[in-house]
Amino acid sequence: MNSPSTFTLSLREQEQLIEKLEIFKIQGRDKRGHKVLRVVGKLFPARLVSGEGLTKYLEEKVFPNLEGRRFSVVYVHTGVQRSENFPGIFVLRSIYDAIPVNVRDLLEAVYFVHPGLRSRLFLATVGRLFFTGGLYGKLKYVNRLEFLWDHVRRNEMEIPEFVYDHDEELEDRPIVDYGLESDHPRVYCAASVDAPVSMYSMRCIS
């Protein structure tokens, strides 16, 4: 895991980069009328932005704009690659720990769009231990965009074109269950149960 000192950009420059890429965007509402925070994983420049920079951006730019109201998160996992745009599980855990309790309590659901098999396996095992406090129970897998619109107002949500392209490719995979899942499969990685968490993070999520 990279330390803040290994990043060439200052914290200010990291914040500006996150803002420019529009990785996080409070946009539209869900079907209950709550605000929606859209997160596009593929846009995250993991080699340029530290966990500290990401946390600082969330604290200063995102959480205040939620205005202390209930909200949902649409996390678009399409195209995420571990070596390019995945910050690492320990960074994610540190960010989660930094989220104020009152903000966590206001979270209604996290819609995980286009989850890969490895990310499902990871979340079904180590993820449920890392993300405590009820977050894991709020996670909803969404294999196809058409099912997302059952929960989020489509005309108020901007989704990148590459996500629609991937969605169309899934038409050729009829054996995949294309629904929204609220109960998580009890499946396990091929790694030994004695393997360290870092091994899970390297082998089970993408």
Side-chain angles (χ1 to χ4, degrees):
M1 180 177 65
N2 292 319
S3 63
S5 61
T6 65
F7 291 86
T8 57
L9 299 181
S10 66
L11 289 178
R12 179 59 180 166
E13 289 171 328
Q14 291 178 39
E15 290 182 64
Q16 291 174 337
L17 180 59
I18 295 172
E19 184 81 20
K20 179 180 179 180
L21 294 175
E22 295 189 329
I23 302 165
F24 302 91
K25 197 168 186 179
I26 297 176
Q27 182 180 73
R29 296 183 181 275
D30 61 21
K31 290 298 181 68
R32 296 182 179 181
H34 303 135
K35 286 188 172 184
V36 174
L37 171 60
R38 188 212 64 186
V39 183
V40 182
K42 184 178 180 179
L43 300 180
F44 183 72
R47 297 180 179 181
L48 298 174
V49 175
S50 66
E52 182 182 356
L54 181 54
T55 300
K56 191 170 186 294
Y57 177 83
L58 292 172
E59 290 175 341
E60 295 181 358
K61 302 292 186 178
V62 176
F63 298 152
N65 289 326
L66 293 172
E67 300 176 339
R69 300 179 180 178
R70 294 196 174 278
F71 69 101
S72 295
V73 171
V74 170
Y75 168 65
V76 182
H77 190 65
T78 318
V80 170
Q81 300 293 328
R82 185 179 66 241
S83 61
E84 297 294 330
N85 39 35
F86 180 63
I89 189 60
F90 292 106
V91 171
L92 293 180
R93 177 57 191 264
S94 66
I95 293 169
Y96 175 68
D97 288 341
I99 299 175
V101 175
N102 63 316
V103 175
R104 291 190 213 173
D105 291 342
L106 294 172
L107 176 62
E108 288 287 310
V110 177
Y111 299 104
F112 195 121
V113 179
H114 292 156
L117 176 60
R118 284 179 291 179
S119 59
R120 286 173 176 264
L121 292 171
F122 177 83
L123 291 170
T125 53
V126 179
R128 67 174 68 220
L129 300 177
F130 262 56
F131 301 109
T132 56
L135 177 62
Y136 184 80
K138 296 177 181 180
L139 181 63
K140 314 292 182 184
Y141 292 134
V142 185
N143 291 323
R144 292 290 300 277
L145 287 173
E146 64 180 287
F147 298 105
L148 177 64
W149 310 136
D150 292 337
H151 303 269
V152 176
R153 300 177 185 179
R154 180 173 185 171
N155 61 345
E156 298 181 9
M157 175 69 59
E158 292 180 12
I159 297 293
E161 192 63 33
F162 71 85
V163 182
Y164 285 101
D165 292 341
H166 180 72
D167 214 59
E168 291 180 4
E169 292 175 7
L170 293 177
E171 292 287 352
D172 298 325
R173 305 178 190 179
I175 62 172
V176 178
D177 176 14
Y178 290 138
L180 181 149
E181 303 170 23
S182 57
D183 51 345
H184 309 292
R186 299 192 178 195
V187 290
Y188 299 88
C189 288
S192 165
V193 293
D194 295 325
V197 171
S198 59
M199 287 296 291
Y200 281 104
S201 65
M202 291 292 289
R203 299 169 68 175
C204 303
I205 191 163
S206 66

